[in-house]
Coordinates of all heavy atoms in Angstrom, one line a residue:
M1 N -10.0 52.8 15.7 CA -9.9 51.4 15.2 C -9.3 50.6 16.3 O -8.2 50.9 16.9 CB -9.0 51.4 13.9 CG -8.9 50.0 13.3 SD -7.9 50.0 11.8 CE -9.0 50.7 10.6
P2 N -9.9 49.5 16.7 CA -9.4 48.6 17.8 C -8.0 48.0 17.4 O -7.7 47.8 16.3 CB -10.4 47.5 17.9 CG -11.6 48.0 17.2 CD -11.1 49.0 16.2
R3 N -7.2 47.8 18.4 CA -5.8 47.3 18.3 C -5.8 46.0 17.5 O -5.0 45.8 16.6 CB -5.1 47.2 19.6 CG -3.7 46.6 19.5 CD -3.0 46.8 20.8 NE -1.7 46.0 20.8 CZ -0.7 46.2 20.1 NH1 -0.7 47.2 19.2 NH2 0.4 45.5 20.2
E4 N -6.7 45.1 17.8 CA -6.7 43.8 17.2 C -7.0 43.9 15.7 O -6.4 43.2 14.9 CB -7.8 42.9 17.8 CG -7.8 41.5 17.2 CD -8.8 40.5 17.9 OE1 -9.0 40.7 19.1 OE2 -9.3 39.7 17.2
E5 N -7.8 44.9 15.3 CA -8.1 45.1 13.9 C -6.9 45.6 13.2 O -6.5 45.2 12.0 CB -9.3 46.1 13.7 CG -9.8 46.1 12.3 CD -11.1 46.9 12.2 OE1 -11.8 47.0 13.2 OE2 -11.3 47.5 11.2
V6 N -6.1 46.5 13.8 CA -4.9 47.0 13.3 C -3.9 45.9 13.1 O -3.2 45.8 12.0 CB -4.3 48.1 14.2 CG1 -2.9 48.6 13.7 CG2 -5.2 49.3 14.2
L7 N -3.8 45.0 14.1 CA -2.9 43.9 14.0 C -3.2 42.9 12.8 O -2.4 42.4 12.2 CB -2.8 43.1 15.3 CG -2.2 43.9 16.5 CD1 -2.3 43.0 17.8 CD2 -0.7 44.2 16.2
R8 N -4.5 42.7 12.7 CA -5.0 41.9 11.6 C -4.7 42.5 10.2 O -4.3 41.7 9.3 CB -6.5 41.6 11.7 CG -6.8 40.7 12.8 CD -8.3 40.3 12.8 NE -8.7 39.6 14.0 CZ -8.4 38.3 14.3 NH1 -7.8 37.6 13.3 NH2 -8.8 37.7 15.4
I9 N -4.8 43.8 10.1 CA -4.4 44.4 8.8 C -2.9 44.3 8.6 O -2.5 44.0 7.4 CB -4.9 45.9 8.8 CG1 -6.4 46.0 8.8 CG2 -4.3 46.7 7.7 CD1 -7.0 47.4 9.1
E10 N -2.1 44.5 9.6 CA -0.7 44.4 9.5 C -0.3 43.0 9.1 O 0.6 42.7 8.3 CB 0.0 44.8 10.8 CG 1.5 44.9 10.7 CD 2.1 45.4 12.0 OE1 1.4 45.9 12.8 OE2 3.4 45.2 12.1
L11 N -1.0 42.0 9.7 CA -0.7 40.6 9.5 C -1.0 40.3 8.0 O -0.3 39.6 7.3 CB -1.6 39.7 10.4 CG -1.4 38.2 10.3 CD1 0.0 37.8 10.6 CD2 -2.4 37.5 11.3
A12 N -2.1 40.8 7.5 CA -2.5 40.5 6.1 C -1.4 41.1 5.1 O -1.0 40.5 4.2 CB -3.8 41.1 5.8
Q13 N -0.9 42.3 5.5 CA 0.1 43.0 4.7 C 1.4 42.1 4.7 O 2.1 41.9 3.7 CB 0.4 44.4 5.3 CG 1.5 45.1 4.5 CD 1.1 45.5 3.1 OE1 0.0 45.7 2.9 NE2 2.1 45.6 2.3
L14 N 1.8 41.6 5.9 CA 3.0 40.8 6.0 C 2.9 39.5 5.2 O 3.8 39.0 4.6 CB 3.3 40.5 7.4 CG 3.8 41.7 8.3 CD1 4.0 41.3 9.7 CD2 5.1 42.3 7.7
R15 N 1.7 38.9 5.3 CA 1.5 37.7 4.5 C 1.6 37.9 3.0 O 2.1 37.1 2.3 CB 0.1 37.1 4.8 CG 0.1 36.4 6.2 CD -1.3 35.8 6.5 NE -1.3 35.1 7.7 CZ -2.3 34.9 8.5 NH1 -3.5 35.4 8.1 NH2 -2.2 34.3 9.6
L16 N 1.1 39.0 2.5 CA 1.2 39.4 1.1 C 2.7 39.6 0.7 O 3.1 39.1 -0.3 CB 0.4 40.7 0.8 CG 0.4 41.2 -0.6 CD1 -0.3 40.1 -1.5 CD2 -0.4 42.5 -0.7
E17 N 3.4 40.3 1.6 CA 4.9 40.5 1.3 C 5.6 39.1 1.3 O 6.5 38.9 0.4 CB 5.5 41.4 2.4 CG 5.1 42.8 2.3 CD 5.7 43.7 3.3 OE1 6.9 43.4 3.6 OE2 5.0 44.5 3.9
H18 N 5.2 38.2 2.2 CA 5.8 36.9 2.2 C 5.6 36.1 1.0 O 6.5 35.5 0.4 CB 5.2 36.2 3.5 CG 5.9 34.9 3.8 ND1 5.5 33.7 3.3 CD2 7.0 34.6 4.5 CE1 6.3 32.7 3.7 NE2 7.2 33.3 4.5
R19 N 4.3 36.2 0.4 CA 4.0 35.5 -0.8 C 4.8 36.1 -2.0 O 5.3 35.4 -2.9 CB 2.5 35.6 -1.1 CG 1.7 34.5 -0.4 CD 0.3 34.5 -0.9 NE -0.4 35.7 -0.7 CZ -1.2 36.0 0.3 NH1 -1.4 35.1 1.2 NH2 -1.8 37.2 0.4
D20 N 4.9 37.5 -2.0 CA 5.6 38.1 -3.1 C 7.1 37.7 -3.0 O 7.7 37.5 -4.1 CB 5.5 39.6 -2.9 CG 4.1 40.2 -3.2 OD1 3.3 39.4 -3.8 OD2 3.9 41.3 -2.9
L21 N 7.7 37.6 -1.9 CA 9.1 37.2 -1.8 C 9.2 35.7 -2.2 O 10.2 35.4 -2.9 CB 9.6 37.3 -0.3 CG 10.1 38.6 0.1 CD1 10.4 38.6 1.6 CD2 11.2 39.1 -0.7
D22 N 8.2 34.9 -2.0 CA 8.2 33.5 -2.4 C 8.3 33.4 -3.9 O 9.1 32.7 -4.5 CB 7.0 32.8 -1.9 CG 7.2 31.3 -2.0 OD1 8.3 30.8 -1.8 OD2 6.1 30.6 -2.2
V23 N 7.5 34.3 -4.6 CA 7.4 34.3 -6.0 C 8.8 34.8 -6.6 O 9.3 34.3 -7.5 CB 6.3 35.2 -6.5 CG1 6.4 35.5 -8.0 CG2 4.9 34.6 -6.2
A24 N 9.3 35.9 -5.9 CA 10.6 36.4 -6.4 C 11.7 35.4 -6.2 O 12.6 35.3 -7.1 CB 10.9 37.7 -5.6
I25 N 11.7 34.7 -5.1 CA 12.8 33.6 -4.9 C 12.7 32.5 -5.9 O 13.7 32.1 -6.5 CB 12.6 33.1 -3.4 CG1 13.1 34.1 -2.4 CG2 13.4 31.8 -3.3 CD1 12.7 33.8 -1.0
T26 N 11.5 32.1 -6.2 CA 11.3 31.1 -7.2 C 11.8 31.5 -8.6 O 12.5 30.8 -9.3 CB 9.8 30.7 -7.3 OG1 9.4 30.2 -6.0 CG2 9.6 29.6 -8.3
A27 N 11.4 32.8 -9.0 CA 11.8 33.3 -10.3 C 13.4 33.4 -10.3 O 14.0 33.1 -11.4 CB 11.2 34.6 -10.5
L28 N 14.0 33.9 -9.3 CA 15.4 34.1 -9.3 C 16.1 32.8 -9.3 O 17.1 32.6 -9.9 CB 15.9 34.9 -8.1 CG 17.3 35.4 -8.0 CD1 17.7 36.2 -9.3 CD2 17.6 36.2 -6.8
G29 N 15.6 31.8 -8.6 CA 16.2 30.5 -8.5 C 16.1 29.8 -9.8 O 17.0 28.9 -10.1
E30 N 15.1 30.1 -10.7 CA 15.0 29.4 -12.0 C 15.9 30.1 -13.1 O 16.0 29.6 -14.2 CB 13.6 29.4 -12.4 CG 12.7 28.5 -11.6 CD 11.2 28.6 -11.9 OE1 10.8 29.5 -12.7 OE2 10.4 27.8 -11.4
A31 N 16.4 31.3 -12.7 CA 17.3 32.0 -13.7 C 18.6 31.2 -13.9 O 19.1 30.5 -13.1 CB 17.6 33.4 -13.2
L32 N 19.1 31.3 -15.2 CA 20.3 30.6 -15.5 C 21.5 31.1 -14.7 O 22.3 30.3 -14.2 CB 20.6 30.8 -17.0 CG 19.6 30.1 -18.0 CD1 20.0 30.4 -19.4 CD2 19.7 28.6 -17.7
H33 N 21.6 32.4 -14.6 CA 22.8 32.9 -13.8 C 22.2 33.6 -12.6 O 22.3 34.9 -12.5 CB 23.6 33.9 -14.7 CG 24.1 33.2 -15.9 ND1 25.1 32.3 -15.8 CD2 23.8 33.3 -17.2 CE1 25.4 31.8 -17.1 NE2 24.6 32.4 -17.9
A34 N 21.7 32.9 -11.7 CA 21.1 33.5 -10.5 C 22.1 34.1 -9.6 O 23.2 33.6 -9.4 CB 20.3 32.4 -9.7
D35 N 21.8 35.3 -9.1 CA 22.7 36.0 -8.2 C 22.4 35.4 -6.8 O 21.4 35.6 -6.1 CB 22.3 37.5 -8.2 CG 23.2 38.3 -7.2 OD1 24.1 37.7 -6.6 OD2 23.0 39.5 -7.2
M36 N 23.4 34.6 -6.4 CA 23.2 33.8 -5.1 C 23.1 34.7 -3.9 O 22.4 34.4 -2.9 CB 24.4 32.8 -5.0 CG 24.4 31.7 -6.0 SD 22.8 30.9 -6.3 CE 22.7 29.9 -4.9
L37 N 23.8 35.8 -3.9 CA 23.8 36.8 -2.8 C 22.4 37.4 -2.7 O 21.8 37.5 -1.6 CB 24.8 37.9 -3.0 CG 24.9 38.9 -1.8 CD1 25.3 38.2 -0.5 CD2 26.0 39.9 -2.2
A38 N 21.8 37.8 -3.8 CA 20.5 38.3 -3.8 C 19.5 37.3 -3.4 O 18.5 37.6 -2.6 CB 20.1 38.8 -5.2
L39 N 19.7 36.0 -3.8 CA 18.8 34.9 -3.4 C 18.8 34.7 -1.9 O 17.8 34.6 -1.3 CB 19.2 33.7 -4.2 CG 18.2 32.5 -4.1 CD1 16.9 32.9 -4.7 CD2 18.8 31.3 -4.9
K40 N 20.0 34.8 -1.3 CA 20.2 34.6 0.1 C 19.5 35.7 0.9 O 18.8 35.5 1.9 CB 21.7 34.6 0.5 CG 22.3 33.3 0.5 CD 23.7 33.4 1.0 CE 24.1 32.3 1.9 NZ 25.4 32.3 2.4
R41 N 19.6 37.0 0.3 CA 19.0 38.1 1.0 C 17.5 38.0 1.0 O 16.8 38.3 1.9 CB 19.4 39.4 0.3 CG 20.8 39.8 0.6 CD 21.2 41.1 -0.1 NE 22.5 41.5 0.2 CZ 23.3 42.2 -0.6 NH1 22.8 42.7 -1.7 NH2 24.5 42.5 -0.2
L42 N 16.9 37.6 -0.2 CA 15.5 37.4 -0.3 C 15.0 36.3 0.7 O 14.0 36.5 1.4 CB 15.1 37.0 -1.7 CG 15.2 38.1 -2.8 CD1 14.9 37.5 -4.1 CD2 14.3 39.2 -2.4
K43 N 15.7 35.2 0.8 CA 15.4 34.1 1.7 C 15.4 34.6 3.2 O 14.6 34.3 4.0 CB 16.3 32.9 1.5 CG 15.9 32.2 0.2 CD 16.8 30.9 0.1 CE 16.5 30.2 -1.2 NZ 17.3 28.9 -1.3
R44 N 16.4 35.4 3.5 CA 16.6 35.9 4.8 C 15.4 36.9 5.2 O 14.8 36.8 6.3 CB 17.9 36.7 5.0 CG 18.2 37.0 6.4 CD 19.6 37.7 6.6 NE 20.6 36.9 6.1 CZ 21.5 37.3 5.2 NH1 21.5 38.5 4.7 NH2 22.5 36.5 4.8
N45 N 15.0 37.7 4.2 CA 13.9 38.6 4.4 C 12.6 37.8 4.6 O 11.8 38.2 5.4 CB 13.8 39.6 3.2 CG 14.8 40.6 3.2 OD1 15.5 40.8 4.2 ND2 15.0 41.3 2.1
K46 N 12.5 36.8 3.8 CA 11.3 35.9 3.9 C 11.2 35.3 5.3 O 10.1 35.2 5.9 CB 11.3 34.9 2.8 CG 10.0 34.0 2.8 CD 10.1 33.0 1.6 CE 9.0 32.0 1.8 NZ 9.1 30.9 0.9
L47 N 12.3 34.8 5.8 CA 12.3 34.2 7.1 C 12.0 35.2 8.2 O 11.3 34.9 9.1 CB 13.7 33.6 7.4 CG 13.8 32.8 8.6 CD1 12.8 31.7 8.7 CD2 15.2 32.2 8.8
S48 N 12.5 36.4 8.0 CA 12.2 37.5 9.0 C 10.7 37.8 9.0 O 10.1 38.0 10.0 CB 13.0 38.7 8.6 OG 12.7 39.8 9.4
L49 N 10.1 37.9 7.8 CA 8.7 38.1 7.7 C 7.9 37.0 8.4 O 6.9 37.3 9.0 CB 8.3 38.3 6.2 CG 8.6 39.6 5.6 CD1 8.2 39.6 4.1 CD2 7.8 40.7 6.3
K50 N 8.4 35.8 8.2 CA 7.7 34.6 8.8 C 7.7 34.8 10.3 O 6.7 34.5 11.0 CB 8.4 33.3 8.4 CG 7.7 32.1 8.9 CD 8.4 30.8 8.4 CE 7.7 29.6 9.0 NZ 8.5 28.4 8.7
D51 N 8.8 35.2 10.9 CA 8.9 35.4 12.3 C 8.0 36.5 12.8 O 7.3 36.4 13.8 CB 10.4 35.8 12.7 CG 11.3 34.6 12.6 OD1 10.9 33.4 12.5 OD2 12.5 34.9 12.5
K52 N 7.9 37.6 12.0 CA 7.0 38.7 12.4 C 5.5 38.2 12.3 O 4.7 38.6 13.2 CB 7.2 39.9 11.4 CG 8.5 40.6 11.6 CD 8.6 41.7 10.6 CE 10.0 42.4 10.8 NZ 10.2 43.5 9.8
I53 N 5.2 37.4 11.3 CA 3.9 36.9 11.1 C 3.5 36.0 12.4 O 2.4 36.1 12.9 CB 3.7 36.1 9.8 CG1 3.7 37.1 8.6 CG2 2.5 35.2 9.8 CD1 3.9 36.4 7.3
S54 N 4.4 35.2 12.8 CA 4.2 34.3 13.9 C 4.0 35.1 15.2 O 3.1 34.8 16.0 CB 5.4 33.4 14.1 OG 5.5 32.5 13.1
R55 N 4.8 36.2 15.4 CA 4.6 37.0 16.6 C 3.3 37.7 16.6 O 2.6 37.8 17.6 CB 5.7 38.0 16.7 CG 7.0 37.5 17.2 CD 8.0 38.6 17.6 NE 8.4 39.4 16.4 CZ 9.5 39.1 15.7 NH1 10.3 38.1 15.9 NH2 9.8 39.9 14.7
L56 N 2.8 38.2 15.4 CA 1.5 38.9 15.3 C 0.4 37.9 15.6 O -0.6 38.2 16.3 CB 1.3 39.5 14.0 CG 2.0 40.9 13.8 CD1 1.8 41.4 12.4 CD2 1.5 41.9 14.8
E57 N 0.5 36.7 15.0 CA -0.5 35.7 15.2 C -0.6 35.3 16.7 O -1.7 35.1 17.2 CB -0.2 34.4 14.4 CG -0.4 34.6 12.9 CD 0.0 33.4 12.1 OE1 0.8 32.6 12.5 OE2 -0.5 33.3 11.0
D58 N 0.5 35.2 17.4 CA 0.5 34.9 18.8 C -0.1 36.1 19.6 O -0.8 35.8 20.6 CB 2.0 34.7 19.3 CG 2.5 33.3 18.8 OD1 1.7 32.5 18.4 OD2 3.8 33.2 18.9
E59 N 0.1 37.3 19.2 CA -0.4 38.4 19.9 C -1.9 38.5 19.7 O -2.7 38.9 20.6 CB 0.2 39.7 19.4 CG 0.0 40.9 20.2 CD 0.8 42.1 19.8 OE1 1.9 41.9 19.3 OE2 0.3 43.2 20.1
I60 N -2.4 38.2 18.5 CA -3.8 38.2 18.2 C -4.6 37.1 18.9 O -5.7 37.3 19.4 CB -4.1 38.2 16.7 CG1 -3.6 39.5 16.0 CG2 -5.6 37.9 16.4 CD1 -3.6 39.4 14.5
T61 N -4.0 35.9 18.9 CA -4.6 34.7 19.5 C -4.3 34.6 20.9 O -3.1 34.4 21.3 CB -4.2 33.4 18.7 OG1 -4.4 33.6 17.4 CG2 -5.0 32.2 19.3
P62 N -5.2 34.7 21.8 CA -4.9 34.7 23.3 C -4.5 33.3 23.7 O -5.0 32.3 23.1 CB -6.1 35.1 23.9 CG -7.2 34.8 23.0 CD -6.6 34.9 21.6
D63 N -3.6 33.2 24.7 CA -3.3 31.9 25.3 C -4.4 31.5 26.2 O -4.8 32.2 27.1 CB -2.0 32.0 26.1 CG -0.8 32.2 25.2 OD1 -0.9 31.9 24.0 OD2 0.2 32.8 25.7
I64 N -5.0 30.3 25.9 CA -6.1 29.8 26.7 C -5.6 28.5 27.4 O -5.2 27.6 26.7 CB -7.3 29.5 25.9 CG1 -7.8 30.8 25.2 CG2 -8.4 28.9 26.8 CD1 -9.0 30.6 24.3
I65 N -5.5 28.5 28.7 CA -5.1 27.3 29.4 C -6.4 26.5 29.7 O -7.3 26.9 30.4 CB -4.4 27.7 30.7 CG1 -3.2 28.6 30.4 CG2 -4.0 26.5 31.5 CD1 -2.5 29.1 31.6
A66 N -6.4 25.3 29.2 CA -7.6 24.4 29.4 C -7.3 23.5 30.5 O -6.3 23.1 30.9 CB -7.8 23.6 28.1

């Protein structure tokens, strides 16, 4: 399997995890007695995933100097 295809599969997996975290954050935020520490951890994980997604997108998309 070509490296780019592996990266695209990993990227799709990370995007799915990012969406799942978004749903979890929303649900926890709407709870009456939300655990603020857990909410912070979820947000930190979501941000970390966003950074990984950006790095993979940069690796997949070549830099073209016009």
Side-chain angles (χ1 to χ4, degrees):
M1 185 178 285
R3 177 165 168 68
E4 186 174 326
E5 192 171 332
V6 172
L7 292 176
R8 288 187 189 281
I9 291 170
E10 186 176 347
L11 182 60
Q13 178 70 27
L14 290 174
R15 285 180 176 156
L16 181 62
E17 288 180 41
H18 189 266
R19 277 192 300 266
D20 289 346
L21 278 175
D22 195 34
V23 170
I25 289 168
T26 301
L28 188 59
E30 292 174 352
L32 290 176
H33 300 289
D35 182 359
M36 296 310 287
L37 183 59
L39 192 58
K40 273 184 138 177
R41 286 181 182 154
L42 288 175
K43 287 182 177 183
R44 190 176 305 125
N45 288 344
K46 184 179 171 191
L47 185 58
S48 175
L49 282 175
K50 183 179 177 186
D51 291 341
K52 289 178 185 179
I53 289 169
S54 293
R55 281 194 296 269
L56 279 178
E57 287 174 338
D58 288 345
E59 193 171 333
I60 292 171
T61 307
D63 292 334
I64 301 175
I65 301 174

